[in-house]
Amino acid sequence: MQKAEGKRQKAEGRVLALVLVLVLGWASGGPLLAQQAPQRTPAQEGFVPVDKLPSAQEQLPAAPLVMAAYAVAWVAVFGYLISIWSRLGKVEREIQAVSRRVEAGGRR
Amino acid sequence: MNKLFLVLAIVLAAMFAYAPVLIVHAPYEATMGLVQKIFYFHVPSWMAMFTSAFVCGIASVFVVFAGRKDADRVAVAAAELTVLFGMVGLITGPLWGRKAWGVWWQWDARLTSSLVMWLIFVAYLLLRKYGGAGSEKLAAAVALFGMANVPFVYWSVNLWRTVHPTTNVVMTLQPGMRGPFWFCVAAIMGLYVLMLLARVRLEHRRAELEQLYLAVED
């Protein structure tokens, strides 16, 4: 029982110490950070030499775009071919079914 | 019909096997680099779309002024392919433009007129599907307007200032790029013709089915 009480007190002590360190750190570091002059970018200085300008070239990879374009073309063409094939198959089956009905009607 | 699909399959297999090889070995364009290789499918898709728009428009002339049923079957098949190849062009173009121009889309003369032309053929198909009986002639008139747009879309890059390259790109291609490009054109146009034939065949069979149903009712 006493051991458990001791452990709890130790844990509470550690938490308190941590909070204290954080509060002190914030209290001492905050004003220091605030005192620092904000970093000025070359553009804020009013003049930027051309050779100091950041690279305007966009680093967008071309390969995924090329792959996507080719995939779209092939999926569209193949999808359409499959669509024609299935529609034609459906019509052919229907023609056969109706032809049988016509033939059966003719025999009567 | 099976023979036709066999030819189609052979053409497709040949394209699959050889077109990417040719495109990979084609020289890189100096300013755009790798992304320019979209050109080999993008431009032939538009060529197929323009051809299809003309086929649909000319067939529609016979529908409007002569009421020809066979021309109507060709028109509806061509309209569907116009929408298909237009869709390929409208998707591959922005993928290329994103890298080359920095934007997916620009409301300039070429891009906007292409979209409008594509929408006209979408309208044609919607009319055919939901217009009810007798909508063939109305749809055919819409197709005439669609066909009339083709020269405007084609010349728009020369007439107005646009971000899109002008029409002389194909004629001024580097020698190493010409071979793969015309190979892709031949393959896609061949494919277009075979797909059109197959689609017209479907319309013919549908007409036969309709006749059979009428015979059953009688």
Side-chain angles (χ1 to χ4, degrees), chain A residues 58 60 63 65-66 69-70 73-74 76-78 80-81 85 87-88 92 94-95 98-99 101-102, chain B residues 1 5 8 12 15-16 23 37 41 80-81 84 92 95 98-99 191 195 199 202 205-206 213 216:
Chain A
E58 194 182 28
L60 185 72
L65 297 169
V66 176
Y70 278 74
W74 287 110
V77 168
F78 263 115
Y80 189 72
L81 277 172
W85 198 303
R87 282 186 282 176
L88 204 55
E92 294 290 350
E94 219 172 323
I95 284 174
V98 180
S99 297
R101 275 169 62 188
V102 170
Chain B
M1 200 61 209
F5 273 100
L8 251 175
L12 274 173
M15 279 183 71
F16 253 113
I23 292 163
K37 289 186 189 279
F41 269 30
E80 226 175 74
L81 285 163
L84 178 85
T92 55
L95 287 169
R98 180 63 186 85
K99 177 76 179 167
L191 199 62
M195 285 160 88
R199 185 62 184 81
L202 174 63
R205 296 298 280 166
R206 277 180 177 164
Y213 273 122
V216 170

Side-chain angles (χ1 to χ4, degrees), chain B residues 144-189:
Chain B
L144 291 181
F145 281 101
M147 181 180 69
N149 256 335
V150 173
F152 287 102
V153 176
Y154 181 75
W155 290 108
S156 60
V157 280
N158 300 336
L159 292 172
W160 295 287
R161 197 164 55 177
T162 83
V163 287
H164 197 280
T166 55
T167 52
N168 68 355
V169 170
V170 172
M171 294 304 142
T172 54
L173 273 179
Q174 284 180 42
M177 292 178 181
R178 280 181 207 153
F181 173 72
W182 288 110
F183 176 85
C184 288
V185 170
I188 290 180
M189 292 306 285

Side-chain angles (χ1 to χ4, degrees), chain A residues 3 10 28 30 32 40 49 55 64-66 68 74 79 91 99-100:
Chain A
K3 268 187 180 178
K10 267 187 184 176
S28 60
L32 277 173
R40 294 176 76 84
S55 173
L65 297 169
V66 176
W74 287 110
V91 170
S99 297
R100 278 196 294 271

Side-chain angles (χ1 to χ4, degrees), chain A:
Chain A
M1 192 72 181
Q2 276 182 341
K3 268 187 180 178
E5 185 67 22
K7 270 186 183 175
R8 195 177 62 81
Q9 278 179 350
K10 267 187 184 176
E12 277 176 6
R14 277 183 201 142
V15 170
L16 267 173
L18 187 68
V19 169
L20 206 65
V21 168
L22 284 172
V23 168
L24 282 173
W26 175 80
S28 60
L32 277 173
L33 284 169
Q35 280 170 5
Q36 276 181 354
Q39 281 190 336
R40 294 176 76 84
T41 60
Q44 286 172 318
E45 296 294 338
F47 172 75
V48 184
V50 171
D51 57 338
K52 295 282 190 313
L53 276 172
S55 173
Q57 264 195 334
E58 194 182 28
Q59 299 301 314
L60 185 72
L65 297 169
V66 176
M67 296 289 277
Y70 278 74
V72 163
W74 287 110
V75 166
V77 168
F78 263 115
Y80 189 72
L81 277 172
I82 292 166
S83 146
I84 293 179
W85 198 303
S86 70
R87 282 186 282 176
L88 204 55
K90 196 180 160 192
V91 170
E92 294 290 350
R93 281 193 299 276
E94 219 172 323
I95 284 174
Q96 281 177 359
V98 180
S99 297
R100 278 196 294 271
R101 275 169 62 188
V102 170
E103 279 173 24
R107 279 184 208 135
R108 273 181 216 154

